[in-house]
Amino acid sequence: MTRFLPAAAIAAAIVLGTPSPAFAVQPPEAAAPAAQTAFDRRAAQLVDLFAGKIAFADYFAPSFQAAVPEPRFDEFSAGLIAQYGQPVAVDKVTATGDRSGTVLLRFEKGVATVVLDVGTAADERVTGLRVTGVAVTNDSLDKVAAEIAALPGQAGFLVAELGEAGIRPLAASNADRQFAIGSTIKLYILDELAAQVAGGKRKWSDVVPLSHFSFSSAGTANWPAETPVTLQTLANWMISVSDNGSTDTLIHLLGRAPIEARMRAAGHSDPSRNIPMLTTVEAFALKGNNFSDLRPLFIKGDDAAQRQLIESNRSRLTLANVDGVSFTDGPRFIDSLEWFASPNDIARLMVDLRARRSKTLLEAMAINNGVGPVAAADWTYLGYKGGSENGVLSMSLLGQRKTDGKWFVVTASWNNPDANVDTGPLIGLVTRLLALAAK
């Protein structure tokens, strides 16, 4: 529910390394067509590189290794393969000199454009590698829908245009089904914060103490208690890195009831699933082994009973009592103790967020666009929030298309109560949905 999706790090296209200086095109009279250049040799090895058959240190120069450590490159490569299948062949090589040029690298499901630069050292190792785009072969919304339907467990998605006439679906599956969405719920908190700012109750620049800490907080882990931070800082952390301490601080500051009311106003079709609006600490605690006595009472209780249980056990439901060991295995109670929304609920929420016309809100959502720079290239604006925990993955994007200025939502959720789910497949599927929406 709380580990932010590392989608930007493993999306299908990111810039890797720094290109070497430009080289002039070799004049025809000096060319030796039969000779293979350093660029040609390294280009021919790309299939083996991405297949893991060439050692990272043997292929890349020290300057590249310093800029892009091997674990990061491995994660990037794994993301490409998860989305587009195994590397198959080099389709085309276009040199701009002996040591640089562009390569069309074919994968099972698409063709990647790779810009390659080779260093001048005797070992001819690569100093720059950039994947500037991936074209999926004969892709369609129906093909992606079929692959989503084949995921183990339950999954649903929606691609829709957001216009003056409302939400116009382009493709969908299980769009009205309630899915566990993890940290995607934080968009409702952002919506209420923006509403309170618009109403004059608060300002984005207001300074407040970091009052609540939580498990798995990427931004505020080990920060001193009561550190002064602005509301904009809390919002940026909550959305961009899914920081849980920031989230819980905002829930306590804004109030559960106003956030719940905002969720209803934004059109959630089954708000009771998220009432009371649990803090991340409360959710972690109730899922853990330390609360096996309270958990069944909470699950079977109605909204009022659940709220009373939370209030009467405030002294127990704290970070100190979260049993982190409980979350090292498989999914835990994702059907009954989570945050929930349907793809259509998320679309209505995106309509509400865009209607705020808040530059600060949109900027918070755009810090981590979830899919990387190449997937975002067709969009004037791209905002994102994801959520994940064992057995749960959710990805939701709000975008304005470059070609015509139209706004779209792309959202997908995948739940499997019986086993953990892998981020790679869903990232690839959502990236393809986004690319198809951009056409």
Side-chain angles (χ1 to χ4, degrees):
M1 86 194 64
T2 51
R3 296 193 307 273
F4 72 93
L5 284 172
I10 60 174
I14 63 174
V15 175
L16 294 175
T18 54
S20 54
F23 289 86
V25 177
Q26 190 175 5
E29 61 271 22
Q36 193 178 49
T37 66
F39 168 73
D40 291 331
R41 287 188 288 274
R42 288 305 186 185
Q45 293 175 326
L46 280 173
V47 171
D48 286 343
L49 174 71
F50 282 99
K53 297 178 181 179
I54 296 178
F56 177 81
D58 290 341
Y59 191 82
F60 291 111
S63 60
F64 185 96
Q65 295 180 46
V68 184
E70 185 173 1
R72 185 185 171 203
F73 180 81
D74 289 345
E75 190 175 21
F76 166 70
S77 179
L80 270 178
I81 292 170
Q83 295 173 62
Y84 304 109
Q86 293 295 324
V88 175
V90 171
D91 280 356
K92 185 178 180 181
V93 176
T94 304
T96 56
D98 288 348
R99 296 182 179 274
S100 55
T102 301
V103 184
L104 296 184
L105 177 62
R106 180 158 43 92
F107 290 80
E108 291 174 316
K109 299 178 184 177
V111 178
T113 300
V114 182
V115 177
L116 201 64
D117 296 284
V118 182
T120 57
D123 57 14
E124 298 179 344
R125 284 187 285 179
V126 168
T127 57
L129 185 153
R130 289 177 292 153
V131 177
T132 62
V134 182
V136 177
T137 307
N138 298 321
D139 208 12
S140 70
L141 291 170
D142 287 342
K143 285 183 178 180
V144 181
E147 292 182 41
I148 290 176
L151 293 171
Q154 303 84 39
F157 78 97
L158 172 68
V159 178
E161 180 183 343
L162 307 181
E164 297 300 327
I167 299 169
R168 184 174 73 88
L170 304 180
S173 174
N174 293 323
D176 288 319
R177 178 173 181 153
Q178 293 291 312
F179 290 95
I181 59 169
S183 286
T184 304
I185 197 71
K186 294 170 184 176
L187 288 175
Y188 287 105
I189 302 169
L190 180 67
D191 196 18
E192 175 57 22
L193 173 58
Q196 292 191 17
V197 169
K201 185 176 182 179
R202 306 184 191 280
K203 297 178 181 178
W204 292 107
S205 59
D206 286 350
V207 176
V208 299
L210 185 63
S211 58
H212 289 76
F213 294 90
S214 185
F215 187 66
S216 185
S217 292
T220 60
N222 302 316
W223 278 56
E226 307 300 307
T227 295
V229 291
T230 67
L231 294 182
Q232 184 174 356
T233 298
L234 291 175
N236 287 347
W237 276 336
M238 177 178 71
I239 301 302
S240 67
V241 296
S242 215
D243 184 80
N244 293 325
S246 299
T247 301
D248 287 2
T249 294
L250 284 171
I251 291 175
H252 285 278
L253 181 70
L254 303 175
R256 285 188 215 270
I259 297 169
E260 293 162 359
R262 184 62 50 199
M263 177 178 58
R264 294 190 195 94
H268 196 292
S269 59
D270 192 3
S272 179
R273 298 295 299 269
N274 302 317
I275 296 176
M277 178 66 68
L278 292 174
T279 66
T280 64
V281 159
E282 290 164 349
F284 272 123
L286 287 170
K287 282 175 174 281
N289 293 333
N290 289 340
F291 289 87
S292 57
D293 57 333
L294 294 184
R295 183 169 53 248
L297 299 176
F298 182 87
I299 289 174
K300 73 178 182 181
D302 59 16
D303 293 353
Q306 289 178 340
R307 199 181 299 278
Q308 177 59 38
L309 184 147
I310 293 295
E311 291 301 317
S312 60
N313 287 278
R314 273 189 293 178
S315 62
R316 285 186 64 194
L317 293 169
T318 62
L319 179 58
N321 291 326
V322 171
D323 173 24
V325 176
S326 302
F327 303 95
T328 58
D329 294 324
R332 294 184 68 85
F333 313 105
I334 67 171
D335 291 333
S336 55
L337 184 51
E338 240 281 352
W339 298 283
F340 298 90
S342 70
N344 276 327
D345 291 336
I346 297 298
R348 288 186 285 268
L349 172 58
M350 292 298 193
V351 169
D352 206 51
L353 291 166
R354 186 167 71 95
R356 299 256 164 248
R357 301 186 183 278
S358 167
K359 179 174 179 287
T360 306
L361 179 155
L362 292 175
E363 287 175 342
M365 292 178 62
I367 294 171
N368 169 14
N369 67 33
V371 292
V374 171
D378 293 325
W379 302 87
T380 303
Y381 170 83
L382 195 62
Y384 167 78
K385 186 71 193 83
S388 74
E389 70 162 288
N390 293 339
V392 174
L393 276 176
S394 176
M395 296 181 68
S396 297
L397 297 109
L398 172 67
Q400 184 182 30
R401 194 163 62 184
K402 274 186 179 178
T403 55
D404 54 13
K406 292 181 178 179
W407 287 81
F408 293 82
V409 60
V410 175
T411 181
S413 292
W414 178 18
N415 294 172
N416 189 349
D418 300 319
N420 293 339
V421 293
D422 182 22
T423 59
L426 191 66
I427 292 170
L429 292 164
V430 169
T431 301
R432 289 166 59 193
L433 290 174
L434 189 70
L436 290 164
K439 294 180 180 180

